[in-house]
């Protein structure tokens, strides 16, 4: 029944979207922003808007990215991070997404899931209509590629916090290439870079004689004021490339700025594995909450 309801919801959304053209100033490819439709928002503008992007569906999962879904909600991850801002006395709106370019139906969740293009539309609406609201991007695993790419695609957009939970690039490009190809064929590339290429793409000159290439998920782009990065416990030697097994993968590259600096970037290696860091009560989320408490809002 849950899957049937989700499928019907998907059909309704597709029909409605086919009956209405893009709003003025909104790109033809962009979904309708949903921030203003969330419960209770007609009464108050939130102090903080938290955008949380989940990662790849767990092992075994042969249906990525179409089966990817928003697990940061069901695990309580997004709410745990939101609570850290509520503890500062701020109201928080949480918007969640799955690791996918498009909005889609996931056979795992049995529900309609929101993707990167929805994140882009929602974020743009919030920054234009609620300029005083603080913005926070939270990503886990493959989700960090999408949160970082949002800032990479829009150099003028800013967030107060960019929070990364064990960002992983392995398999991400392969999972999403077909969707990017179809998108570019339909609309061209609206961004200043090719987002389908996100692994080992940013040349950063760490020393005058040495340039390293960083994945987008490892770069704290200028739009991020604070960047909190959690890496999971090391279950493999650090020189072994992760291959997508969620019980073994970990982020082994400390985040860095484009100027090779580490200003306002904090990295923490947690006690838990790749999935364990997402659960409330983990050392990972406790560290994130403690950093937010210490730093406050910039």
């Amino acid at each position: 029944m849950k899957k049937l309801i989700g499928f019907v919801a998907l059909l309704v959304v597709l029909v409605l979207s086919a009956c209405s053209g893009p709003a003025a100033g909104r790109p033809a490819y962009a979904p309708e922003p949903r921030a203003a439709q969330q419960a209770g928002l007609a009464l108050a503008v939130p102090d903080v808007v938290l955008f949380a992007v989940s990662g790849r569906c767990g092992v075994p999962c042969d249906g990525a990215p179409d089966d990817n879904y928003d697990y940061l909600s069901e695990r309580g991850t997004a709410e745990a991070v939101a609570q850290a801002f509520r503890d500062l006395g701020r109201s928080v709106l949480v918007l969640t997404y799955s690791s996918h370019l498009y909005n889609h139906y996931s056979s795992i969740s049995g529900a309609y899931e929101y993707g990167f293009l929805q994140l882009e539309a929602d974020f743009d609406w919030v920054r234009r209509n609620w300029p005083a609201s603080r913005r926070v991007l939270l990503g886990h695993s493959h989700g960090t590629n999408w949160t970082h790419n949002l800032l990479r695609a829009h150099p003028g957009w800013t967030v107060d916090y960019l929070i990364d939970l064990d960002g992983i690039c392995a398999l991400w490009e392969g999972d999403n290439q077909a969707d990017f190809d179809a998108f570019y064929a339909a609309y061209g590339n609206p961004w200043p870079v090719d987002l389908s290429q996100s692994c080992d793409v940013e040349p950063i000159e760490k020393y005058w004689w040495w340039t390293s290439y960083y994945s987008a998920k490892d770069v704290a782009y200028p739009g991020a004021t604070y960047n909190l990065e959690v890496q999971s416990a090391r279950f493999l030697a650090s020189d072994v490339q992760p291959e997508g097994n969620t019980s073994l993968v970990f982020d082994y590259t400390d985040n860095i700025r484009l100027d090779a600096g580490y200003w306002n970037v904090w990295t923490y290696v947690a006690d838990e594995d790749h999935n364990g860091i997402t659960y409330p009560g983990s050392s990972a989320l406790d560290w994130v909450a403690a950093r937010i408490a210490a730093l406050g809002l910039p």
Side-chain angles (χ1 to χ4, degrees), residues 4 10 64 78 88 166 168 172 196 216 223 234 237 241 253 264 266 270 290:
L4 178 62
L10 173 60
L88 296 177
D166 218 30
I168 300 296
W172 186 87
S196 71
R234 272 77 165 115
Q241 294 285 336
T253 304
N264 285 350
W266 293 268

Side-chain angles (χ1 to χ4, degrees), residues 10-20:
L10 173 60
L11 290 178
V12 169
V13 171
L14 291 176
V15 169
L16 291 177
S17 64
C19 295
S20 59

Side-chain angles (χ1 to χ4, degrees), residues 127-267:
R127 74 179 188 87
R128 288 185 292 103
N129 291 277
W130 298 337
S133 296
R134 304 303 188 94
R135 297 181 292 273
V136 177
L137 287 171
L138 167 68
H140 172 242
S141 192
H142 275 193
T144 61
N145 294 281
W146 297 110
T147 56
H148 283 240
N149 269 324
L150 184 70
L151 299 181
R152 181 182 174 214
H154 300 280
W157 291 8
T158 60
V159 295
D160 294 277
Y161 278 86
L162 177 64
I163 303 174
D164 307 329
L165 301 179
D166 218 30
I168 300 296
C169 217
L171 303 180
W172 186 87
E173 289 182 339
D175 282 355
N176 296 286
Q177 188 65 60
D179 286 330
F180 275 110
D181 289 345
F183 178 80
Y184 290 154
Y187 303 105
N189 184 356
W191 306 301
V193 293
D194 179 5
L195 298 186
S196 71
Q197 301 299 308
S198 292
C199 301
D200 302 326
V201 292
E202 293 285 10
I204 296 178
E205 186 178 298
K206 297 185 70 174
Y207 310 101
W208 66 266
W209 68 88
W210 186 264
T211 296
S212 297
Y213 284 82
Y214 281 77
S215 298
K217 63 134 184 124
D218 296 315
V219 177
Y221 287 97
T225 301
Y226 293 154
N227 180 207
L228 306 182
E229 178 192 26
V230 174
Q231 299 174 358
S232 64
R234 272 77 165 115
F235 289 101
L236 292 172
S238 61
D239 59 347
V240 177
Q241 294 285 336
E243 295 297 338
N245 185 330
T246 56
S247 65
L248 296 176
V249 297
F250 58 88
D251 182 5
Y252 52 87
T253 304
D254 291 357
N255 285 5
I256 193 171
R257 296 284 184 174
L258 286 173
D259 62 3
Y262 295 93
W263 46 275
N264 285 350
V265 176
W266 293 268
T267 298

Side-chain angles (χ1 to χ4, degrees), residues 267-291:
T267 298
Y268 171 73
V269 179
D271 298 330
E272 299 82 19
D273 66 11
H274 183 68
N275 285 329
I277 63 171
T278 63
Y279 288 94
S282 64
S283 70
L285 292 188
D286 286 349
W287 177 81
V288 169
R291 292 309 306 165

